[in-house]
Amino acid sequence: MRTGSEPRTARSALRARFWLSVWGLVWAIFGTVAFALAGRPGWAIACGVLWLVITVDTTMILRHIRQGPHYQPGPGVPPYRPPENPRR
């Protein structure tokens, strides 16, 4: 059932997001080390900043996974209830 509040109450596939962030984390670490060893400090810093952003994102994903089924979609998790007073 669509309630019209999906953009505000949407859920994401957290396990898929987790593994994609791990993949990005591996590449960001590799890029940071490779560019630092190649003598490209600008690119190493860019990869390092990306590494930091991905680490924060991964932390938030893990936090939501640990909070339980409220944040995890699945067949056993009921949809959000429609808003009581929908704004028009």
Side-chain angles (χ1 to χ4, degrees), residues 4 6 15 17 45 54 61-62 65 85:
E6 284 81 9
R15 283 183 177 71
R17 278 185 59 196
I45 291 170
I54 294 170
I61 292 168
L62 288 174
I65 287 173
N85 297 323

Side-chain angles (χ1 to χ4, degrees), residues 42-78:
W43 284 103
I45 291 170
C47 287
V49 169
L50 184 61
W51 181 359
L52 178 66
V53 170
I54 294 170
T55 301
V56 170
D57 185 48
T58 304
T59 303
M60 293 305 298
I61 292 168
L62 288 174
R63 180 174 176 260
H64 285 164
I65 287 173
R66 289 189 183 124
Q67 286 179 340
H70 175 72
Y71 287 100
Q72 299 177 42
V77 179

